[in-house]
Amino acid sequence: MSSRTPGGTFLIRETLAEDVFTSCDFDEEQKMLADSTTAFVDREIWPNKARFECKDYAFTEEIMRKAGDLGLLKVGVPEAYGGLGMGFVSSMLVCDRISGGTGSIATAFGAHTGISISPILIYGSEKIKKKYLPKLTSGEWFGAYCLTEPDAGSDANSGKTKAVRSEDGKHYAITGQKIWISNAGFARVFIVFARIEDDKNITGFVVEYDPDNPNGITLGEEANKLGIRASSTRQVFFNETKVPADHLLGERNGGFKIAVNALNIGRIRLAAACLDAQRRVIGNCIRYANKRKQFEQPISAFGAIQYKLAEMATRYYASETSCYRTGHNIEEAIAALKKAREPEAELKSVAEYAIECAILKVYASEAAQDCSDAGIQIYGGMGFSADTPMEAAWRDARIARIYEGTNEINRLLTVGMLVKRAMKGQLDLMGPALKVGKELMDIPAFETPDYSELLSEELELVGEMKKAVLMVAAKAVEKFGAKLREQQQILLNIADMVIETYTAESALLATKKAAAQKGADRVQTQVYMARLNLYNALEKLGKNGREAILSTVEGDEQQMMRMGLKRFTRYTHLPNPIALRKSIAADLIQNDGLTF
């Protein structure tokens, strides 16, 4: 691949199909990693789903230790600290494949390898890294991330946990309460955020926990939860817990930055964790629909079932192509910064793509929830039974829309970060927006372009979707200025326009690249899915655009913007969505599962 689209610039720059990374680009090492992780899930996790649903926390810990024995906890950690030193995409790939068996393991794995190991790797001193990372990557010890408090959720910097420095300056005494802490029941290392004296911002600490010498740490009872039932989730109480002064993460007052950046990493990893969950639900539903007979034929022969299968597969495809597109962009950015000897290469690279990470978190988590919901419906009464995997999949999926910042917060962040970067001059949104405004005043062209190249009209339409986003966003900024942050419903509208644009483009670019690599005839189902996804995306973008326009401007200006929105979402050759769904479903049904 010759180039990458810098973070956040996808709205104003064209991305070429040959420059995106897809699952077709996995090297042999990555394919082996994916296969071995899937085999581990099929062997150790999937046959034992009942144990997780019965809240067998000890079994979750046992599986995590086995994952450590297999090397799955050390993929993205440098060899100097006991890791395998593999790239960002490889670490995403393991997170993807290990997460489909049960949400309990997905949560334990993500909390340990993502938001627990990453802060130490990025912000820890050399002493801290060498002391803790080998034990964490081997599975000898496990980590937990202690940020949320009873009165500090989305507003993470408002935490009340205090850290008091000793008179001799050798340690801090931490006192406070943390809630919803994943892995708390078996963690030996806590990443803890506390405020030193009256500092403006919180500070991060690495706190070691020994059950035989608790050092002022007590654990609450296991939480009763809707899903992820065997994921250990407890409150953690600190009562003058002594922490050596050199166990700070980064700098004093720098904890909020650490928390934000850890969540950026967590968001893209969470999106990846939603992929295999969708694959397994879809595969089970296809096989069930092919076997289940009503009115003397398999229910897969009915159009209503085919509709659901096609939509489930299409949303999954958009999720996967978007995730690995972004993951590889981050990996390339890391490599470039390391080559330039920039410190904190991974941190800065993930921060660059924070907008895309928020997009992925929202889209993939909602796709997984919708997929499992449709799965229950396909199974019918059996789907509501705990004897089939659908109801557990639905319950486990629900937390993903809350983890790593609620989807509402992530939507607001998506637009907020775009506007903030534009205001700082880091992202030129106003120039392209002014061009769009000028285009609205011009007479539209009526000649039909040459769309003979595969997906050329669809990719041109993505460019028009970007214009629609710029038109609506620029007008909202002009109308509300600094008070735009108070217009949350309009921000949600714009965010959904951005999300649909990015994921539609990702699916189309990945499909065009696959067609160039394999031949269009061999990726026909992906072509159908990319087109169906764009059709759906245009419908959603149009709805959200109309709401934002109607809520922002009035009179002639409103009329002009509504006409512009209509122009920017107009298909020359409108597809037949029912025919697309039938074609997608036919391939799934014939092959008794996903083939891409």
Side-chain angles (χ1 to χ4, degrees), residues 155-185:
D155 184 10
N157 204 40
S158 65
K160 294 181 173 59
T161 297
K162 288 288 186 180
V164 178
R165 191 173 186 179
S166 62
E167 291 185 5
D168 59 11
K170 292 183 178 180
H171 70 267
Y172 289 88
I174 295 178
T175 301
Q177 174 186 6
K178 301 292 183 177
I179 62 172
W180 307 121
I181 307 306
S182 297
N183 294 353

Side-chain angles (χ1 to χ4, degrees), residues 214-508:
N215 186 21
I217 298 174
T218 56
L219 305 178
E221 296 296 320
E222 291 287 355
N224 291 315
K225 308 183 295 291
L226 172 71
I228 56 169
R229 288 181 171 174
S231 163
S232 176
T233 310
R234 295 188 176 194
Q235 295 189 59
V236 182
F237 300 90
F238 300 92
N239 184 16
E240 296 191 357
T241 298
K242 291 185 178 181
V243 182
D246 61 1
H247 277 45
L248 262 69
L249 280 176
E251 299 176 350
R252 176 172 173 171
N253 240 331
F256 182 63
K257 181 177 70 172
I258 296 174
V260 169
N261 289 317
L263 290 176
N264 286 334
I265 295 172
R267 282 166 186 148
I268 189 169
R269 289 172 63 88
L270 177 59
C274 291
L275 297 180
D276 199 49
Q278 293 179 71
R279 283 191 207 99
R280 288 179 182 267
V281 167
I282 294 167
N284 279 317
C285 285
I286 294 167
R287 290 185 287 274
Y288 181 83
N290 279 339
K291 292 177 181 177
R292 171 70 168 165
K293 289 188 176 182
Q294 289 290 285
F295 307 103
E296 300 181 351
Q297 57 183 323
I299 63 172
S300 60
F302 300 123
I305 300 297
Q306 293 174 6
Y307 175 98
K308 292 186 182 301
L309 293 175
E311 290 288 347
M312 293 158 73
T314 296
R315 290 284 299 280
Y316 157 70
Y317 184 62
S319 300
E320 187 206 68
T321 53
S322 301
C323 278
Y324 286 110
R325 171 190 180 181
T326 305
H328 192 259
N329 280 340
I330 292 173
E331 186 170 287
E332 285 191 315
I334 292 170
L337 289 178
K338 285 184 174 179
K339 187 176 181 181
R341 300 184 181 277
E342 283 279 345
E344 300 182 341
E346 181 172 339
L347 165 67
K348 292 178 180 178
S349 298
V350 174
E352 179 186 343
Y353 288 92
I355 294 167
E356 288 84 349
C357 290
I359 287 171
L360 297 176
K361 190 273 182 183
V362 171
Y363 189 90
S365 65
E366 293 182 359
Q369 182 80 81
D370 292 344
C371 183
S372 59
D373 189 76
I376 289 178
Q377 204 69 11
I378 289 171
Y379 271 67
M382 287 301 296
F384 202 69
S385 167
D387 294 332
T388 64
M390 289 301 118
E391 65 92 29
W394 184 88
R395 288 187 289 99
D396 284 352
R398 187 59 184 86
I399 189 62
R401 289 161 56 195
I402 300 172
Y403 273 160
E404 319 300 11
T406 67
N407 283 10
E408 291 72 26
I409 288 293
N410 275 279
R411 281 182 163 92
L412 297 176
L413 283 172
T414 296
V415 183
M417 286 187 287
L418 282 168
V419 173
K420 185 176 181 180
R421 291 187 187 185
M423 294 299 184
K424 288 185 173 181
Q426 299 170 343
L427 184 62
D428 179 19
L429 293 180
M430 293 312 297
L434 288 172
K435 289 182 181 179
V436 173
K438 183 178 181 300
E439 185 177 335
L440 289 177
M441 306 300 295
D442 295 336
I443 299 174
F446 292 101
E447 66 272 11
T448 302
D450 178 12
Y451 291 132
S452 56
E453 186 179 346
L454 180 67
L455 299 177
S456 56
E457 180 180 4
E458 286 78 5
L459 285 167
E460 185 175 297
L461 264 171
V462 168
E464 298 296 289
M465 292 170 71
K466 295 177 184 181
K467 293 178 183 178
V469 174
L470 291 170
M471 175 186 71
V472 173
K475 182 55 63 177
V477 171
E478 178 187 324
K479 172 71 178 292
F480 299 107
K483 293 185 177 181
L484 178 60
R485 68 180 63 186
E486 300 171 9
Q487 304 296 321
Q488 289 197 353
Q489 293 188 48
I490 294 175
L491 290 173
L492 294 177
N493 288 141
I494 298 172
D496 279 336
M497 295 174 75
V498 174
I499 291 167
E500 293 300 330
T501 300
Y502 186 73
T503 51
E505 182 180 57
S506 298
L508 287 163

